[in-house]
mmCIF file of all heavy atoms in Angstrom:
data_model
loop_
_atom_site.group_PDB
_atom_site.id
_atom_site.type_symbol
_atom_site.label_atom_id
_atom_site.label_comp_id
_atom_site.label_asym_id
_atom_site.label_seq_id
_atom_site.Cartn_x
_atom_site.Cartn_y
_atom_site.Cartn_z
ATOM 1 N N ASP A 116 -12.404 -13.933 4.237
ATOM 2 C CA ASP A 116 -11.370 -14.962 4.356
ATOM 3 C C ASP A 116 -10.874 -15.108 5.792
ATOM 4 O O ASP A 116 -10.642 -16.222 6.274
ATOM 5 C CB ASP A 116 -10.166 -14.611 3.469
ATOM 6 C CG ASP A 116 -10.377 -14.993 2.018
ATOM 7 O OD1 ASP A 116 -11.457 -15.503 1.693
ATOM 8 O OD2 ASP A 116 -9.450 -14.786 1.210
ATOM 9 N N LEU A 117 -10.674 -13.989 6.470
ATOM 10 C CA LEU A 117 -9.996 -14.015 7.770
ATOM 11 C C LEU A 117 -10.956 -14.076 8.953
ATOM 12 O O LEU A 117 -10.564 -14.530 10.029
ATOM 13 C CB LEU A 117 -9.094 -12.785 7.906
ATOM 14 C CG LEU A 117 -7.981 -12.663 6.853
ATOM 15 C CD1 LEU A 117 -7.112 -11.454 7.142
ATOM 16 C CD2 LEU A 117 -7.125 -13.926 6.806
ATOM 17 N N LEU A 118 -12.201 -13.624 8.755
ATOM 18 C CA LEU A 118 -13.145 -13.615 9.880
ATOM 19 C C LEU A 118 -14.474 -14.292 9.577
ATOM 20 O O LEU A 118 -15.295 -14.467 10.474
ATOM 21 C CB LEU A 118 -13.410 -12.170 10.314
ATOM 22 C CG LEU A 118 -12.275 -11.564 11.151
ATOM 23 C CD1 LEU A 118 -12.112 -10.096 10.865
ATOM 24 C CD2 LEU A 118 -12.523 -11.787 12.630
ATOM 25 N N GLY A 119 -14.710 -14.657 8.317
ATOM 26 C CA GLY A 119 -15.952 -15.339 7.980
ATOM 27 C C GLY A 119 -17.157 -14.433 7.921
ATOM 28 O O GLY A 119 -18.295 -14.894 8.026
ATOM 29 N N ILE A 120 -16.941 -13.117 7.728
ATOM 30 C CA ILE A 120 -18.043 -12.164 7.619
ATOM 31 C C ILE A 120 -18.277 -11.900 6.140
ATOM 32 O O ILE A 120 -17.447 -11.295 5.461
ATOM 33 C CB ILE A 120 -17.725 -10.858 8.364
ATOM 34 C CG1 ILE A 120 -17.449 -11.149 9.843
ATOM 35 C CG2 ILE A 120 -18.867 -9.865 8.213
ATOM 36 C CD1 ILE A 120 -16.903 -9.962 10.601
ATOM 37 N N LYS A 121 -19.408 -12.340 5.645
ATOM 38 C CA LYS A 121 -19.706 -12.282 4.216
ATOM 39 C C LYS A 121 -20.218 -10.909 3.812
ATOM 40 O O LYS A 121 -21.041 -10.318 4.510
ATOM 41 C CB LYS A 121 -20.738 -13.343 3.867
ATOM 42 C CG LYS A 121 -21.082 -13.421 2.385
ATOM 43 C CD LYS A 121 -22.106 -14.514 2.128
ATOM 44 C CE LYS A 121 -22.464 -14.599 0.650
ATOM 45 N NZ LYS A 121 -23.492 -15.644 0.401
ATOM 46 N N ALA A 122 -19.712 -10.402 2.687
ATOM 47 C CA ALA A 122 -20.215 -9.150 2.113
ATOM 48 C C ALA A 122 -21.355 -9.502 1.157
ATOM 49 O O ALA A 122 -21.119 -9.940 0.026
ATOM 50 C CB ALA A 122 -19.106 -8.404 1.392
ATOM 51 N N GLU A 123 -22.578 -9.330 1.626
ATOM 52 C CA GLU A 123 -23.756 -9.722 0.851
ATOM 53 C C GLU A 123 -23.889 -8.845 -0.386
ATOM 54 O O GLU A 123 -23.912 -7.622 -0.305
ATOM 55 C CB GLU A 123 -25.013 -9.591 1.718
ATOM 56 C CG GLU A 123 -26.249 -10.220 1.103
ATOM 57 C CD GLU A 123 -26.119 -11.723 0.948
ATOM 58 O OE1 GLU A 123 -25.518 -12.369 1.825
ATOM 59 O OE2 GLU A 123 -26.621 -12.242 -0.061
ATOM 60 N N GLY A 124 -23.938 -9.502 -1.574
ATOM 61 C CA GLY A 124 -24.048 -8.770 -2.826
ATOM 62 C C GLY A 124 -22.713 -8.444 -3.468
ATOM 63 O O GLY A 124 -22.675 -7.702 -4.455
ATOM 64 N N HIS A 125 -21.612 -8.994 -2.938
ATOM 65 C CA HIS A 125 -20.298 -8.739 -3.537
ATOM 66 C C HIS A 125 -20.233 -9.354 -4.933
ATOM 67 O O HIS A 125 -20.641 -10.499 -5.127
ATOM 68 C CB HIS A 125 -19.196 -9.319 -2.650
ATOM 69 C CG HIS A 125 -17.822 -8.843 -3.002
ATOM 70 N ND1 HIS A 125 -17.155 -9.277 -4.134
ATOM 71 C CD2 HIS A 125 -16.989 -7.973 -2.394
ATOM 72 C CE1 HIS A 125 -15.976 -8.688 -4.194
ATOM 73 N NE2 HIS A 125 -15.848 -7.890 -3.149
ATOM 74 N N PRO A 126 -19.730 -8.622 -5.931
ATOM 75 C CA PRO A 126 -19.745 -9.125 -7.311
ATOM 76 C C PRO A 126 -18.729 -10.233 -7.589
ATOM 77 O O PRO A 126 -18.834 -10.910 -8.610
ATOM 78 C CB PRO A 126 -19.416 -7.875 -8.142
ATOM 79 C CG PRO A 126 -18.654 -6.994 -7.210
ATOM 80 C CD PRO A 126 -19.230 -7.236 -5.852
ATOM 81 N N ASP A 127 -17.733 -10.433 -6.710
ATOM 82 C CA ASP A 127 -16.680 -11.426 -6.985
ATOM 83 C C ASP A 127 -16.176 -12.008 -5.666
ATOM 84 O O ASP A 127 -15.064 -11.718 -5.226
ATOM 85 C CB ASP A 127 -15.534 -10.753 -7.748
ATOM 86 C CG ASP A 127 -14.438 -11.736 -8.139
ATOM 87 O OD1 ASP A 127 -14.693 -12.958 -8.116
ATOM 88 O OD2 ASP A 127 -13.319 -11.283 -8.445
ATOM 89 N N PRO A 128 -16.969 -12.859 -5.007
ATOM 90 C CA PRO A 128 -16.632 -13.305 -3.652
ATOM 91 C C PRO A 128 -15.659 -14.488 -3.600
ATOM 92 O O PRO A 128 -15.800 -15.385 -2.766
ATOM 93 C CB PRO A 128 -17.996 -13.685 -3.087
ATOM 94 C CG PRO A 128 -18.756 -14.184 -4.270
ATOM 95 C CD PRO A 128 -18.286 -13.359 -5.446
ATOM 96 N N ARG A 129 -14.658 -14.486 -4.470
ATOM 97 C CA ARG A 129 -13.654 -15.555 -4.426
ATOM 98 C C ARG A 129 -12.678 -15.344 -3.275
ATOM 99 O O ARG A 129 -12.564 -14.257 -2.725
ATOM 100 C CB ARG A 129 -12.868 -15.604 -5.741
ATOM 101 C CG ARG A 129 -13.661 -16.034 -6.937
ATOM 102 C CD ARG A 129 -12.814 -15.954 -8.202
ATOM 103 N NE ARG A 129 -12.452 -14.574 -8.547
ATOM 104 C CZ ARG A 129 -11.454 -14.240 -9.350
ATOM 105 N NH1 ARG A 129 -10.689 -15.177 -9.868
ATOM 106 N NH2 ARG A 129 -11.204 -12.972 -9.629
ATOM 107 N N ARG A 130 -11.931 -16.401 -2.960
ATOM 108 C CA ARG A 130 -10.883 -16.271 -1.950
ATOM 109 C C ARG A 130 -9.850 -15.253 -2.399
ATOM 110 O O ARG A 130 -9.554 -15.117 -3.578
ATOM 111 C CB ARG A 130 -10.205 -17.612 -1.721
ATOM 112 C CG ARG A 130 -10.983 -18.538 -0.820
ATOM 113 C CD ARG A 130 -10.187 -19.780 -0.465
ATOM 114 N NE ARG A 130 -10.845 -20.504 0.609
ATOM 115 C CZ ARG A 130 -10.366 -21.610 1.160
ATOM 116 N NH1 ARG A 130 -9.211 -22.102 0.732
ATOM 117 N NH2 ARG A 130 -11.015 -22.211 2.131
ATOM 118 N N LEU A 131 -9.257 -14.586 -1.414
ATOM 119 C CA LEU A 131 -8.237 -13.594 -1.716
ATOM 120 C C LEU A 131 -6.962 -13.845 -0.925
ATOM 121 O O LEU A 131 -5.885 -13.964 -1.497
ATOM 122 C CB LEU A 131 -8.761 -12.187 -1.406
ATOM 123 C CG LEU A 131 -7.770 -11.056 -1.673
ATOM 124 C CD1 LEU A 131 -7.628 -10.819 -3.174
ATOM 125 C CD2 LEU A 131 -8.209 -9.759 -0.981
ATOM 126 N N VAL A 132 -7.060 -13.938 0.396
ATOM 127 C CA VAL A 132 -5.883 -13.945 1.256
ATOM 128 C C VAL A 132 -5.433 -15.349 1.625
ATOM 129 O O VAL A 132 -4.253 -15.682 1.513
ATOM 130 C CB VAL A 132 -6.152 -13.114 2.539
ATOM 131 C CG1 VAL A 132 -4.978 -13.209 3.496
ATOM 132 C CG2 VAL A 132 -6.406 -11.656 2.167
ATOM 133 N N VAL A 133 -6.353 -16.186 2.111
ATOM 134 C CA VAL A 133 -5.945 -17.521 2.565
ATOM 135 C C VAL A 133 -5.581 -18.386 1.371
ATOM 136 O O VAL A 133 -6.028 -18.169 0.241
ATOM 137 C CB VAL A 133 -7.045 -18.190 3.408
ATOM 138 C CG1 VAL A 133 -7.266 -17.418 4.698
ATOM 139 C CG2 VAL A 133 -8.346 -18.316 2.624
ATOM 140 N N SER A 134 -4.750 -19.383 1.625
ATOM 141 C CA SER A 134 -4.262 -20.249 0.550
ATOM 142 C C SER A 134 -5.397 -21.081 -0.024
ATOM 143 O O SER A 134 -6.448 -21.271 0.610
ATOM 144 C CB SER A 134 -3.152 -21.168 1.068
ATOM 145 O OG SER A 134 -3.642 -21.996 2.107
#
Side-chain angles (χ1 to χ4, degrees):
D116 279 1
L117 300 183
L118 283 145
I120 301 170
K121 183 179 180 181
E123 191 64 37
H125 193 287
D127 183 17
R129 292 176 294 161
R130 280 188 168 182
L131 179 74
V132 175
V133 295
S134 61

